Amino acid sequence: MANDDYKILSRNWGKPDSHKLETYLQSGGYEAAKKALTMEPQAVAQTVLDAGLRGRGGAGFPTGRKWLFMPKDDRPRYLCVNADEGEPGTFKDRDIMRYDPHMLIEGILIACWAMQAHTSYIYVRGEFTEPQRRLEAAIEEAYAKGILGNRSLGTDFRLDVHVHSGAGAYVCGEETALINSIEGKKGQPRIRPPFPPQRGVFDMPTTVNNVESIASTPYIIANGPEAYRKFGTEKSPGTKLFCVSGHVNKPQVIELPLGVPLMELIDKHCGGMLKGMKLKAVIPGGSSTPVLTAAECQKVTLDYEALAAAGSMLGSGAVIVMAEGTCMVTTLHVLTHFYAHESCGQCTPCREGTGWMAQITGRIVKGKGKIEDLDLLLSLANGMFGRTICPLADAAVGPVSSFIGKFRQEFEDYIRTQKGPKEKPYPVKWMS
Amino acid sequence: MPKIKINGRELEVAEGITILEAALSNGIYIPHFCYHPHLPISGNCRMCLVDVKPGPPKLSISCATTVAEGMEIETENEKVRAARAAVMEFILKNHPLDCPICDQAGECVLHEYYMKYDLKPSRLFSPEDKVKKQKRRRLGKHVVLDSERCILCTRCIRFVRNVSGDESLAMVKRSDKMEITTFPGKTVDNPYSLCLTDACPVGAWTSADFRFKQRVWFLQPSASICPHCSRGCNIWIDHRREEAFRIRPRVNEQVNKAWACDEGRLNYHLINDDRLTLPLINSGGGQKEISWKDALKTAGAMIAEAGENLSVIVSASLSLEEGKALLSLQESLGAKVMLNTGEPGWEDNILRQSDRNANTKGLTDLGIAESLDNGLDDSAVLVVFETLGSAPLPEGIPAPAIVISPSVTPAVKAAKVALPAASYAETAGTVVNFMGLSQSYSSALKPKGQALSHAEIIAKLSAAAQKAGE
Amino acid sequence: MSLEFSATAKQELDRIFGRYATKQAALLPALYLAQREFGYVSPEAMEYVAELVDVSPTRVYEVATFYTMYNKQPVGKYFIQVCTNISCALRGGMDLFAYLSKKLGIAEGQTTKDGRFSLVKVECLGACGNAPMMQVNDDYYEDLIPAKVDEILKSMT
């Protein structure tokens, strides 16, 4: 196995004009789609299922199984690609879309063939102007080359792909909110049942998949499930784009096989701790995943099972690294403020709970907190968890419970000693 | 018919209904805010969470979970109680302490639920955390919205979009800043806007007419039937000390579901205002009060003298019982009895019927079919029976001789003899609506002053006319 | 004076309609067109868009106020949106904001007197590896240091 055999998603990044069709074709692009179009649609889905690809947006649900959920009636079917990428710390789908949009388009073709869907919307968050433009250009190239359109790759299969821009709402990353947003409505999640395969976009059967999940499928079809399973672990096969940010020397998006030890990711691949600072905590999978202390980080590997066993989650694979000197109180408030801002407002526990939590942490940060506030926050978190229409409330609970749970002393000291906001909540001076 | 268990109790329920519907129809109460039997499901308040086995470890909302064979549901265990108390706390966190000035007190679902499912002290250690929103906005001719009291259950939105069929209300912004409002500069002015005050479980939507008028625990509700169009919406007349304070719809699945129109509701004013309470006579020098004895003597003489020229014009809202009495009057006096159905009004496919009378079908089926349009000449001696809010006499007919009415109407003012009648709110009767449905009402209040029921007046007039003819 | 799309915008809207099974689905793209054409999304703009996509102005109002990227008030020529979420905060995002606020002489949510710059804080923009960063109108400016910020501001005339 060559050194970077596992660079499945990112293999073309760094090439000049990597986003152009010629570049993609040169490295075997669209061969997998051609192969898929000769297979039975069901077989394509089964292949992806056999490869063990799990949803890379955060939920980790087997992608092939999702495709197989689509009903076999004759209503028009839709694939919605979730490029809303709003989870704080996550910035991987952006790179797929701007550096290798054709890999995504090929994956869309494969997925739509498997599900016999003739229309796909790529829901890209509104702020991602560059990725949207690259995608639109790539789609145009694909139509011009007959990859998309009435006779995809020379077959009878019709496929239309459109970019649909979001407009500033993290909640639209939730699949039913995303569907509502495409329909021209507020991005408010729907109560389920019915689920998207029964009633999705325009009430038609719909599957929603993350960008990275879809972009992983050409490799699987071209090389087979066994080849994909060569990488990663048994329960978490394949590769993942890890987004590393925070206090490391080389923050970046890096593709590695699942199961890589967290400390290896930081030390070997990301240049180690920023300026040699000492590690304090890591959020392993995006802001919604429970934080790990430096001690917990030492042994943990980055795959679905290990992180679940450690009491956290792989999530979107957004690794946020915090060095000693990071104020956990200030940081928690940054996050509670985020969830309060993003709550769609539909259901009681999330709407009022996220707002209240942000007010309490805001007061603590300003030096006006009380010791009782900590247990109150934990209690509010309990009141929200598992009680809402969508998991945004659960996501908001992640940081609140884990930060207070694991850094309680720091919170209590802050409350007792701080008279106002901390002067230096972060060990980094904004310069250089 | 799936067999399920709720709190250990075995039930056989209809296929395809929700757990909430199954529970409620079997006398098991599950608290809820956003669910309303006549509105689409929303599932946002989260108050109706129950524990379902087999099922996910999370609690499920009973309003949106369909029953399945073998389901075992617990509605009162620790988990469920804790969930309810949490929802209550979240709602109350921003809910203003308006109870002392809020009209909803006494019929507030939030209040009731606090007593039943919460009773915990507030943990809002910093009251300045309460989110401030717009209060007491007059958003329509009849309705006022207080967004701080609003629990965002969306019943009002679902009402306008699914029942009154308009787009007057919006739910704008998001997170805890979310608010119900109208498009800038616009109002809620559909004919059913006051239904918002019924649909609203708290005091967010209130009636501009009823605001601050009365505490509801002092009000006595009496069941009645609205007489102002041929639908005959079922209503409650809420009154105290012989004064009507408001009319609310009474649920009837066939006739009006849970709704009533604004006009019908606000006509409760007719029960209170401008009532004719004493007999009047006009012998040339203006109307004067007289006794029943004298009034009847005069009226009887007028009737006897009229002979063939006697015409009886009646409101088509008189009850069947009153109609029967009129028919015997018709026989005994040989008079033409005509229905004054008045001009048809607008109608829609929600509640309003163009026939503005309560009993046109009933009375015509009885045999009082002759319509007022058939022309009356100057020699006609008119005896007019009006009901509350009934159609005025048309132009071009001679001034009425005798008018029997509950209110001081133009006809009453023009009459030689005016006799005070009880309204539908002060008598009992039966009316037949446009569907052919017979509906009965009984009295809510006592007749005003010296007013008598139409039936009594008909009997007395008949007797007086007989006596005068001897 | 009633609002109307330019011919190009109308053409684009027609293309957009072709993508979806309902007219309403064009609402989010149509609001972006309105923002471009009219400067910001006013109640008049909402009523105009409502007619175009065949929904009530009420629904347009709901949608416009739900999403943050539709400006319901006019903004400066350069709309500076600084990320202050976690990854940017860890690398100085708060300081970046304070720097801009001081340099431009405006507080959060305000616009400079000459109408050139508006300044707000926003949530995660999905560029965390290049923190701290900001979005100005449609473009991202990443890996910011004070000198770079000065340069960028100077170029925005």
Side-chain angles (χ1 to χ4, degrees):
Chain A
M1 180 169 97
N3 247 357
D4 57 0
D5 232 10
Y6 59 83
K7 297 281 187 202
I8 292 172
L9 295 156
S10 53
R11 67 183 159 94
N12 294 322
W13 301 1
K15 290 186 191 166
D17 288 337
S18 61
H19 55 284
K20 293 224 167 109
L21 181 55
E22 315 170 20
T23 321
Y24 193 62
L25 289 172
Q26 269 162 31
S27 63
Y30 289 106
E31 289 303 312
K34 286 199 188 124
K35 180 174 171 192
L37 289 173
T38 66
M39 295 164 67
E40 281 299 313
Q42 188 111 344
V44 174
Q46 190 62 43
T47 309
V48 171
L49 179 58
D50 291 341
L53 172 65
R54 294 167 68 165
R56 298 287 194 240
F61 191 83
T63 305
R65 177 146 306 139
K66 236 186 181 179
W67 294 0
L68 289 167
F69 278 157
M70 288 289 255
K72 302 285 184 288
D73 59 42
D74 55 9
R75 290 178 294 159
R77 307 204 195 117
Y78 292 87
L79 169 68
C80 294
V81 181
N82 191 340
D84 196 52
E85 191 149 79
E87 180 80 358
T90 317
F91 49 106
K92 58 180 175 74
D93 298 332
R94 178 182 181 219
D95 282 356
I96 294 177
M97 290 188 283
R98 58 184 181 153
Y99 297 144
D100 210 342
H102 281 287
M103 186 174 284
L104 176 60
I105 294 172
E106 185 175 14
I108 291 174
L109 184 41
I110 291 167
C112 286
W113 172 254
M115 292 185 279
Q116 292 295 290
H118 296 289
T119 313
S120 178
Y121 297 111
I122 309 174
Y123 186 98
V124 187
R125 64 178 294 180
E127 300 86 344
F128 274 179
T129 316
E130 188 194 7
Q132 284 184 24
R133 292 203 180 121
R134 287 268 167 98
L135 272 174
E136 280 164 357
I139 288 170
E140 228 184 280
E141 284 182 309
Y143 271 102
K145 200 74 181 207
I147 294 166
L148 296 174
N150 284 334
R151 295 190 49 82
S152 167
L153 290 172
T155 68
D156 281 329
F157 186 62
R158 175 180 69 78
L159 178 58
D160 287 311
V161 179
H162 309 287
V163 172
H164 180 101
S165 176
Y170 161 76
V171 69
C172 287
E174 195 280 333
E175 62 179 20
T176 59
L178 187 149
I179 289 170
N180 272 340
S181 190
I182 290 178
E183 291 183 356
K185 303 172 182 157
K186 292 188 282 179
Q188 288 181 174
R190 301 177 177 179
I191 53 174
R192 278 147 288 180
F195 292 86
Q198 270 60 53
R199 287 183 59 181
V201 177
F202 310 127
D203 280 345
M204 296 297 149
T206 304
T207 292
V208 182
N209 284 130
N210 174 261
V211 166
E212 191 184 348
S213 315
I214 295 291
S216 301
T217 59
Y219 182 92
I220 294 171
I221 297 300
N223 301 287
E226 289 318 309
Y228 194 69
R229 283 186 170 278
K230 254 184 18 217
F231 313 114
T233 71
E234 200 208 313
K235 292 225 179 89
S236 303
T239 65
K240 179 89 188 69
L241 291 171
F242 292 102
C243 319
V244 188
S245 64
H247 299 143
V248 291
N249 280 317
K250 292 200 256 172
Q252 60 186 281
V253 179
I254 178 165
E255 184 174 11
L256 288 167
L258 281 162
V260 60
L262 171 55
M263 294 316 296
E264 188 181 306
L265 172 65
I266 293 174
D267 293 329
K268 182 167 167 207
H269 298 279
C270 295
M273 292 300 294
L274 181 66
K275 300 192 182 138
M277 292 193 281
K278 210 163 151 242
L279 180 65
K280 179 170 183 181
V282 170
I283 292 177
S287 64
S288 312
T289 58
V291 71
L292 299 172
T293 61
E296 290 172 319
C297 291
Q298 298 312 309
K299 291 261 169 61
V300 81
T301 56
L302 295 171
D303 54 83
Y304 295 98
E305 283 62 46
L307 282 164
S312 187
M313 289 155 57
L314 178 64
S316 59
V319 177
I320 306 171
V321 180
M322 290 167 272
E324 286 290 351
T326 301
C327 175
M328 301 310 279
V329 180
T330 308
T331 306
L332 178 60
H333 178 63
V334 166
L335 293 180
T336 55
H337 181 272
F338 169 70
Y339 292 106
H341 185 258
E342 300 298 332
S343 169
C344 81
Q346 250 193 125
C347 62
T348 312
C350 178
R351 176 182 67 239
E352 314 294 353
T354 56
W356 198 355
M357 296 206 293
Q359 286 173 317
I360 298 171
T361 54
R363 230 194 335 278
I364 296 176
V365 164
K366 290 206 187 92
K368 299 204 170 76
K370 305 188 189 88
I371 291 292
E372 300 84 76
D373 285 337
L374 298 177
D375 284 332
L376 177 57
L377 281 166
L378 293 176
S379 174
L380 294 180
N382 274 342
M384 289 161 64
F385 194 85
R387 307 266 175 85
T388 52
I389 295 176
C390 87
L392 194 145
D394 301 342
V397 163
V400 171
S401 302
S402 61
F403 274 52
I404 296 176
K406 298 185 184 182
F407 294 93
R408 179 123 193 171
Q409 194 56 54
E410 183 177 342
F411 278 85
E412 291 193 3
D413 291 342
Y414 193 111
I415 291 171
R416 286 204 185 94
T417 62
Q418 285 291 127
K419 301 278 189 290
K422 213 164 180 140
E423 270 217 40
K424 254 193 89 191
Y426 299 109
V428 171
K429 193 145 168 50
W430 181 56
M431 281 298 209
S432 71
Chain B
M1 299 267 287
K3 289 203 189 66
I4 63 172
K5 271 199 196 152
I6 302 183
N7 299 335
R9 194 174 129 196
E10 281 188 20
L11 298 165
E12 195 166 344
V13 297
E15 184 87 45
I17 62 172
T18 62
I19 294 176
L20 182 59
E21 288 167 331
L24 292 177
S25 58
N26 281 289
I28 300 168
Y29 192 76
I30 299 176
H32 52 274
F33 291 107
C34 66
Y35 169 77
H36 188 291
H38 300 99
L39 296 171
I41 306 276
S42 189
N44 66 65
C45 73
R46 316 308 284 183
M47 192 63 182
C48 71
L49 286 166
V50 293
D51 209 349
V52 180
K53 306 210 182 324
K58 298 197 307 189
L59 300 173
S60 312
I61 45 174
S62 53
C63 66
T65 309
T66 315
V67 294
E69 177 75 33
M71 246 184 191
E72 289 186 21
I73 300 135
E74 288 185 27
T75 71
E76 297 294 330
N77 65 19
E78 263 318 296
K79 250 169 108 178
V80 172
R81 284 175 198 271
R84 283 181 192 155
V87 170
M88 288 301 296
E89 179 168 45
F90 284 128
I91 295 179
L92 290 169
K93 182 255 174 187
N94 284 321
H95 197 76
L97 291 171
D98 279 0
C99 310
I101 58 158
C102 176
D103 290 319
Q104 201 81 4
E107 52 188 21
C108 175
V109 181
L110 190 60
H111 233 161
E112 268 181 56
Y113 284 1
Y114 177 78
M115 300 306 290
K116 270 194 157 121
Y117 305 110
D118 191 348
L119 281 178
K120 294 194 173 52
S122 169
R123 294 192 294 180
L124 190 68
F125 303 134
S126 305
E128 66 271 19
D129 282 354
K130 273 200 191 289
V131 176
K132 300 259 174 285
K133 292 181 183 170
Q134 303 183 80
K135 290 182 82 70
R136 49 170 165 73
R137 288 193 299 154
R138 184 69 171 265
L139 278 189
K141 210 154 133 220
H142 304 303
V143 290
V144 179
L145 177 63
D146 185 314
S147 292
E148 282 185 356
R149 298 177 188 172
C150 174
I151 63 171
L152 289 164
C153 70
T154 72
R155 277 184 180 183
C156 55
I157 302 270
R158 284 175 280 140
F159 176 80
V160 299
R161 290 183 185 171
N162 294 281
V163 180
S164 62
D166 61 87
E167 295 273 304
S168 50
L169 289 178
M171 195 164 62
V172 301
K173 301 190 258 184
R174 61 184 199 215
S175 74
D176 61 5
K177 312 291 177 291
M178 200 162 196
E179 256 188 276
I180 307 278
T181 185
T182 54
F183 190 85
K186 298 269 178 356
T187 54
V188 186
D189 276 321
N190 60 60
Y192 302 93
S193 64
L194 283 167
C195 288
L196 297 173
T197 65
D198 298 320
C200 182
V202 297
W205 284 105
T206 50
S207 156
D209 177 88
F210 183 64
R211 243 166 113 71
F212 303 143
K213 288 241 177 85
Q214 189 61 250
R215 276 310 193 188
V216 305
W217 50 80
F218 288 132
L219 293 175
Q220 173 107 330
S222 294
S224 189
I225 305 287
C226 175
H228 299 292
C229 86
S230 59
R231 182 169 290 270
C233 292
N234 289 211
I235 55 176
W236 291 109
I237 302 176
D238 290 336
H239 56 93
R240 182 186 186 198
R241 297 193 187 134
E242 297 307 310
E243 186 185 345
F245 280 87
R246 64 176 185 182
I247 283 176
R248 291 173 292 131
R250 190 159 51 93
V251 174
N252 183 314
E253 293 298 335
Q254 261 189 298
V255 178
N256 57 304
K257 300 238 170 26
W259 320 121
C261 72
D262 293 353
E263 210 181 294
R265 277 185 212 246
L266 293 175
N267 276 341
Y268 80 86
H269 286 290
L270 296 174
I271 298 174
N272 298 328
D273 304 339
D274 299 325
R275 296 298 298 271
L276 182 61
T277 53
L278 294 167
L280 301 173
I281 190 166
N282 188 350
S283 322
Q287 278 182 324
K288 281 187 333 195
E289 295 165 1
I290 60 169
S291 67
W292 268 104
K293 192 159 159 243
D294 292 336
L296 285 167
K297 197 157 163 216
T298 314
M302 287 163 81
I303 291 171
E305 217 185 290
E308 275 177 18
N309 289 328
L310 187 67
S311 286
V312 180
I313 301 172
V314 304
S315 153
S317 293
L318 287 177
S319 65
L320 290 178
E321 294 82 355
E322 287 155 357
K324 287 203 188 102
L326 276 169
L327 284 176
S328 54
L329 187 76
Q330 183 173 256
E331 252 192 65
S332 65
L333 298 177
K336 264 198 316 184
V337 179
M338 293 171 277
L339 277 183
N340 181 10
T341 51
E343 289 302 311
W346 64 269
E347 71 173 15
D348 59 32
N349 54 4
I350 301 167
L351 287 181
R352 289 305 292 256
Q353 295 298 302
S354 61
D355 179 0
R356 294 300 199 241
N357 302 281
N359 200 16
T360 311
K361 189 164 198 331
L363 293 172
T364 47
D365 285 350
L366 265 186
I368 305 173
E370 185 138 7
S371 166
L372 187 48
D373 310 327
N374 292 343
L376 289 161
D377 60 40
D378 286 340
S379 61
V381 175
L382 302 176
V383 177
V384 180
F385 286 86
E386 293 184 324
T387 56
L388 204 64
S390 61
L393 292 172
E395 305 267 312
I397 65 170
I402 304 164
V403 175
I404 300 98
S405 183
S407 318
V408 180
T409 59
V412 160
K413 291 197 188 135
K416 278 242 174 61
V417 176
L419 302 173
S423 77
Y424 77 99
E426 298 120 24
T427 46
T430 313
V431 288
V432 180
N433 78 355
F434 78 103
M435 299 166 177
L437 193 65
S438 245
Q439 304 195 96
S440 296
Y441 55 91
S442 41
S443 55
L445 305 166
K446 298 206 266 282
K448 305 254 182 262
Q450 292 185 21
L452 297 172
S453 68
H454 282 285
E456 278 182 275
I457 295 173
I458 290 166
K460 287 192 197 295
L461 276 175
S462 186
Q466 279 229 305
K467 196 156 172 220
E470 283 156 5
Chain C
M1 191 197 73
S2 56
L3 300 172
E4 205 182 338
F5 273 179
S6 63
T8 352
K10 283 188 184 158
Q11 267 172 24
E12 206 179 324
L13 185 60
D14 269 325
R15 261 196 306 273
I16 290 168
F17 278 135
R19 298 188 206 149
Y20 306 104
T22 66
K23 268 181 121 176
Q24 181 171 6
L27 176 53
L28 267 75
L31 279 170
Y32 274 126
L33 284 176
Q35 184 151 282
R36 238 178 38 207
E37 297 271 296
F38 309 134
Y40 71 106
V41 180
S42 60
E44 293 75 38
M46 292 181 207
E47 282 177 311
Y48 180 65
V49 169
E51 243 179 277
L52 291 174
V53 301
D54 224 349
V55 298
S56 68
T58 306
R59 305 275 184 154
V60 179
Y61 186 41
E62 289 190 325
V63 166
T65 55
F66 180 86
Y67 296 99
T68 59
M69 289 182 69
Y70 299 122
N71 299 323
K72 275 72 74 179
Q73 300 289 331
V75 293
K77 187 168 175 205
Y78 298 100
F79 185 27
I80 303 177
Q81 302 152 76
V82 181
C83 175
T84 50
N85 204 310
I86 185 171
S87 298
C88 283
L90 289 171
R91 298 299 293 251
M94 305 292 193
D95 298 332
L96 166 61
F97 181 85
Y99 183 80
L100 281 161
S101 178
K102 189 159 174 223
K103 202 155 170 94
L104 298 172
I106 49 177
E108 185 179 357
Q110 293 182 336
T111 305
T112 52
K113 281 209 173 58
D114 60 2
R116 237 168 84 196
F117 296 107
S118 291
L119 179 65
V120 295
K121 289 181 185 167
V122 292
E123 300 295 348
C124 181
L125 287 170
C128 323
N130 302 95
M133 53 80 64
M134 64 188 182
Q135 179 175 4
V136 185
N137 296 349
D138 285 340
D139 303 314
Y140 278 18
Y141 295 88
E142 304 164 73
D143 298 307
L144 294 175
I145 52 174
K148 222 171 161 187
V149 174
D150 293 343
E151 236 182 83
I152 292 164
L153 289 179
K154 250 218 313 260
S155 76
M156 292 180 171
T157 49

